[in-house]
Amino acid sequence: MEILKRALAFGLLLLFAEPAAAAISIVATTEDLASLVREVAGDRAKVDAIARGYQDPHFVEAKPSFILKLHAADLLVVVGRELEIGWLPPLQLQSRNSKIQPGSKGYLDASLTAKILEIPTGQLTRAMGDVHPMGNPHYWLDPGNGRRIAAAIRDRLAELVPADAGYFAERYADFDKRLAEAEKRWDAQMAPFKGAKIVTYHRSWPNFCDRFGLDVIGYVEPKPGIPPSPGHTLDLIAEMKRQGVKVLLVEPYFDRKTPDSIGRETGAQVLVMPPSVGGEKEITDFIKLFDYDVKLLVQALSASGAKGRP
Amino acid sequence: MRKPIVGLFVVLQVALSAPHGAAQAGPEPATSDAVARLERELAELRREYTERLTALEERIRALSVPAPAASPPAAVAEPAPVPVPAGSSKVFNPDIAVIGNFMGSAGRNRLEPEKAPLELPEAEASFQAVVDPYARGDFFFAFSPEGVEVEEGFLTFQSLPGKLLLKVGQMREGFGKVNGMHSHVLPWADRPLVAQNFLGGDEGLADAGLSLARLIPIGSTFVEATGEVYSGTSTVFQAQKRQDLSYVGRLRAYRDLSEAANLDVGGSFAYGHNGQTENGTTKLFGVDATFRYRPLRRALYRRFIARSELLWSRAAVPLGEVKSFGGYLSGEYQFARRWFAGARFDLAGRPFDTLPNDKGGSLLLTFWPSEFSQIRGQWRYTKHGLGGTSHEAIVQLLFAIGAHGAHSF
């Protein structure tokens, strides 16, 4: 009888016991945002990303396994500017989680406080390719925007977990300091190449080039999202030769066939430059992403003998 | 247009000649004092206006340039330039898209000998928006040569407790995989024979009703159980009385096998009155499986999808019960950024008679000029249960305008 009572008590305890104060669960749509969340949230959150860093974030499959992740999330951080428009809305709808729907406290559009470039003006049509009507969504590739996103995350986390607000503020201040130091380093490394001309595959780098003073004179894609065409490639080769462009950046998820042939024709170095955290094994966080990319670029630019504008 | 210009000219001439005329009238000291005073006032005015103009120009510049390009990395976030909508009411307009489905066919088709060689069998218009904090609304209108119909029009409640998702309205029923797909997301130009014979073809098993789906996560496996009730009047089920409802149940499980591969399986059941006899009913049982492979790094260029659905039907007819079976097995392989090749094998009996099965096969080649259009060629062979064969070549052109919809999975 005693045993039965104890078993019953234990069973009740299991049923009604509050689970140990669980950390807040955060899902970010990309590894870049997840890294910034980790910087601020530290050990007070369980952080998960949907798109991998070596994957094209425009074309992620809306797998039901992501629905499970979103279902358990207290906060969803998105890149916004319609980057995730092809896959996130159905996942959000099916997540059965009202906390992370647009407009809720648990939904954070990281672009709202960031500096956004290439916001189109005038009439827009898809004849221009897959244009983003709200501006270029690759804005995280500017350390300054990383800082702005981290600040937005800090503020939102403080709203969601007021008890830990001080902790988040401290973590942010520490990240801010480390980022500022790193920026000095990157600026010094890139300084000799200010104004250097490059070509990129997709329009992924306007914020990066704006920040470090690189001049993008053309794209391998004739229009955003449209695969390379022979005519455009020939024009690009001629233009690169005319302007003496010696570096071509390719995101890891694009085919290298066309970039390589452009490289052969023009003598330009083709660099596979990851635009996201996780794009290469050693790129484990936001600061390391710029460490990696800046190092790669500086090596290529110095090897090519490229010089910045006098 | 000429008159106002002439008028303006006259006014200008008068204005310009007036002080000139006054100066010619005589160099009286009083007048020259007045002129000097006027000049001073004019100079004062000019200075004042220049200042105000400069201030205004600065303000306009500050407004139109979101942030100076060479600004140091500011710790304070700059306000994001959020586009200002032209009209306040437009913000709440639903996302609108229209998808055209143009078909050309050649060859012999024994079942539809009258089929037009070129046609636009369907144009689909979709209107989708959030209704309120609790629900969103989706409407799909199908415009076909037969007229306009509400293909789907439903409300989805996404903030229910208990991991539930409720849909209410006119919708494609959750039986199997292919029935839920709109024509433009199919990996083929047509629907498999099993869908033609048992699930109402293009229109599909669609009806007005309720659908309640519960998420049952088991570890990292996604499991969803769905129960649906419909009024029982579709191309498949025909209610004789108001209480002759039809029911659909489905259990779906999905699991990532790796980062690149995943498996999606399901079992479905549908029940309803078939209109063959006063109380005759049809029961449909289905199983489906989809295997997908898409390496993330090469996701733009490579993917492979294998899918199959099998269906068993038990239908009460005046002379007893007809048991029949159908199914398909299909594979698609993406071999370049814009190219897909595919093949499908078909087998299908008929719900109300015991004729030999229809059999068929298709070969497909699809080209995507962009995300918003695709051209597909399909060669289709059918051996009809009634006797005879068909060989057809089908060309399909799909094109979408309007809002960027999500990709189906």
Side-chain angles (χ1 to χ4, degrees):
Chain A
M1 197 58 199
E2 193 58 27
I3 291 171
L4 203 69
K5 264 188 189 166
R6 278 194 184 173
L8 198 71
F10 184 66
L12 282 174
L13 197 75
L14 274 187
L15 264 180
F16 295 106
E18 278 281 311
I24 181 174
S25 169
I26 305 175
V27 174
T29 54
T30 65
E31 292 200 58
D32 309 285
L33 294 179
S35 162
L36 292 169
V37 171
R38 280 189 197 103
E39 295 285 3
V40 180
D43 58 6
R44 306 290 158 90
K46 186 181 149 289
V47 186
D48 220 336
I50 294 182
R52 296 270 80 94
Y54 41 81
Q55 158 177 36
D56 186 343
H58 298 88
F59 299 99
V60 175
E61 284 191 296
K63 296 179 195 178
S65 44
F66 297 143
I67 296 174
L68 295 184
K69 284 187 180 182
L70 290 181
H71 176 70
D74 299 299
L75 174 63
L76 170 65
V77 187
V78 308
V79 174
R81 304 286 154 165
E82 300 202 341
L83 180 76
E84 301 103 336
I85 195 166
W87 51 274
L88 189 61
L91 292 177
Q92 262 173 298
L93 180 71
Q94 292 179 73
S95 70
R96 282 100 161 152
N97 185 350
S98 52
K99 282 187 276 188
I100 56 151
Q101 303 300 327
S104 310
K105 239 202 250 179
Y107 176 84
L108 177 61
D109 181 339
S111 76
L112 291 184
T113 51
K115 178 173 153 188
I116 306 298
L117 300 177
E118 297 183 351
I119 296 176
T121 49
Q123 205 193 346
L124 272 188
T125 80
R126 292 226 170 92
M128 302 164 183
D130 199 1
V131 281
H132 290 280
M134 313 280 282
N136 194 302
H138 303 272
Y139 61 85
W140 67 86
L141 284 161
D142 168 0
N145 272 343
R147 179 178 286 110
R148 293 179 191 113
I149 297 167
I153 292 167
R154 173 201 59 196
D155 295 345
R156 188 57 63 89
L157 284 175
E159 238 182 283
L160 289 171
V161 197
D164 285 337
Y167 174 79
F168 299 136
E170 254 170 57
R171 300 254 339 162
Y172 169 79
D174 177 59
F175 170 68
D176 180 29
K177 207 174 113 216
R178 280 183 290 125
L179 185 63
E181 279 160 18
E183 276 184 293
K184 273 187 209 142
R185 195 166 70 227
W186 301 327
D187 284 335
Q189 283 171 288
M190 293 294 292
F193 307 106
K194 223 167 193 110
K197 288 173 176 167
I198 61 165
V199 161
T200 72
Y201 194 105
H202 180 70
R203 282 176 177 267
S204 305
W205 307 94
N207 293 79
F208 186 90
C209 293
D210 182 54
R211 174 66 178 76
F212 295 109
L214 297 172
D215 186 7
V216 184
I217 66 123
Y219 306 94
V220 176
E221 286 181 339
K223 284 166 184 176
I226 303 290
S229 65
H232 173 76
T233 302
L234 289 176
D235 289 348
L236 184 66
I237 289 171
E239 192 57 29
M240 284 172 73
K241 280 183 177 164
R242 201 178 68 77
Q243 302 204 34
V245 178
K246 290 292 169 219
V247 171
L248 195 164
L249 305 186
V250 184
E251 294 81 347
Y253 37 80
F254 287 119
D255 202 295
R256 284 191 58 163
K257 213 176 92 189
T258 311
D260 281 343
S261 71
I262 294 173
R264 275 194 301 275
E265 283 295 315
T266 59
Q269 242 195 91
V270 178
L271 288 188
V272 177
M273 196 150 112
S276 280
V277 174
E280 285 296 336
K281 267 208 191 80
E282 59 257 56
I283 309 177
T284 49
D285 63 39
F286 189 75
I287 291 180
K288 289 203 179 97
L289 170 65
F290 289 90
D291 278 337
Y292 185 95
D293 284 352
V294 167
K295 188 175 156 204
L296 199 68
L297 253 178
V298 165
Q299 275 171 0
L301 287 168
S302 17
S304 73
K307 282 197 187 66
R309 266 192 303 263
Chain B
M1 198 57 210
R2 172 159 290 183
K3 265 187 186 160
I5 288 177
V6 171
L8 191 70
F9 191 65
V10 171
V11 170
L12 270 174
Q13 266 209 326
V14 171
L16 286 172
S17 59
H20 193 62
Q24 265 179 346
E28 290 166 41
T31 327
S32 70
D33 271 6
V35 169
R37 202 187 66 237
L38 270 173
E39 272 177 351
R40 268 202 310 280
E41 272 174 15
L42 254 175
E44 179 68 15
L45 259 178
R46 189 181 291 148
R47 195 186 53 78
E48 198 177 301
Y49 274 87
T50 317
E51 269 173 14
R52 284 169 72 177
L53 259 175
T54 324
L56 271 173
E57 273 170 3
E58 295 261 282
R59 282 179 67 182
I60 288 169
R61 227 194 324 270
L63 281 174
S64 57
V65 178
S71 73
V76 183
E78 284 140 23
V82 176
V84 180
S88 59
S89 63
K90 282 185 192 156
V91 193
F92 297 112
N93 277 354
D95 292 338
I96 301 170
V98 183
I99 297 166
N101 180 356
F102 181 81
M103 299 258 247
S105 38
R108 186 175 52 184
N109 184 334
R110 286 185 177 270
L111 286 186
E112 295 175 280
E114 306 289 306
K115 195 172 160 62
L118 295 168
E119 59 175 343
L120 185 79
E122 189 189 88
E124 182 192 286
S126 64
F127 299 81
Q128 300 172 287
V130 169
V131 176
D132 56 25
Y134 318 106
R136 60 170 281 128
D138 294 86
F139 284 94
F140 301 93
F141 299 98
F143 297 77
S144 67
E146 289 85 50
V148 184
E149 62 160 10
V150 182
E151 189 179 3
E152 293 196 275
F154 57 84
L155 199 62
T156 307
F157 295 92
Q158 82 274 35
S159 52
L160 296 179
K163 299 178 180 140
L164 294 170
L165 192 71
L166 174 68
K167 294 199 321 186
V168 184
Q170 165 81 25
M171 54 203 156
R172 299 187 78 99
E173 299 177 25
F175 183 93
K177 276 275 181 200
V178 76
N179 188 62
M181 293 181 183
H182 288 201
S183 301
H184 60 89
V185 298
L186 292 171
W188 321 286
D190 61 348
R191 284 183 189 263
L193 286 176
V194 60
Q196 310 265 9
N197 291 4
F198 292 97
L199 299 172
D202 276 336
E203 224 166 280
L205 188 54
D207 201 352
L210 310 170
S211 164
L212 192 64
R214 183 166 204 269
L215 184 68
I216 312 165
I218 302 175
S220 58
T221 305
F222 169 96
V223 179
E224 191 180 50
T226 312
E228 305 184 339
V229 185
Y230 293 96
S231 75
T233 46
S234 59
T235 43
V236 179
F237 296 122
Q238 272 129 41
Q240 307 296 303
K241 301 185 286 288
R242 186 180 275 184
Q243 59 267 40
D244 290 353
L245 300 174
S246 85
Y247 303 91
V248 173
R250 177 167 166 78
L251 191 68
R252 177 192 179 196
Y254 168 96
R255 197 177 162 78
D256 284 326
L257 303 175
S258 72
E259 186 184 81
N262 54 68
L263 188 64
D264 199 349
V265 295
S268 313
F269 168 75
Y271 167 90
H273 288 257
N274 61 22
Q276 295 287 309
T277 62
E278 198 189 335
N279 279 314
T281 61
T282 293
K283 294 187 194 86
L284 299 173
F285 305 89
V287 293
D288 59 84
T290 309
F291 169 79
R292 294 183 185 82
Y293 173 73
R294 195 176 181 190
L296 296 188
R297 215 176 265 270
R298 302 283 297 156
L300 292 178
Y301 305 93
R302 290 283 176 281
R303 77 180 91 167
F304 172 72
I305 302 171
R307 47 183 122 213
S308 180
E309 282 187 64
L310 304 175
L311 178 148
W312 292 265
S313 163
R314 302 278 176 276
V317 293
L319 294 172
E321 187 186 53
V322 173
K323 294 181 178 181
S324 44
F325 167 77
Y328 70 85
L329 173 66
S330 164
E332 302 129 56
Y333 178 65
Q334 180 185 12
F335 59 90
R337 178 148 180 194
R338 313 204 269 189
W339 289 94
F340 295 75
R344 189 184 74 209
F345 174 73
D346 279 312
L347 175 78
R350 287 172 184 279
F352 306 126
D353 49 53
T354 50
L355 283 168
N357 290 332
D358 292 334
K359 288 175 190 166
S362 286
L363 290 174
L364 298 112
L365 187 65
T366 307
F367 173 67
W368 290 23
S370 77
E371 222 186 309
F372 305 97
S373 65
Q374 66 182 50
I375 302 162
R376 176 174 285 145
Q378 179 171 357
W379 176 81
R380 179 169 72 181
Y381 163 78
T382 317
K383 186 168 181 289
H384 302 284
L386 288 161
T389 56
S390 300
H391 292 271
E392 287 163 284
I394 305 167
V395 177
Q396 182 190 35
L397 179 63
L398 282 165
F399 50 102
I401 55 172
H404 189 312
H407 307 276
S408 64
F409 181 78

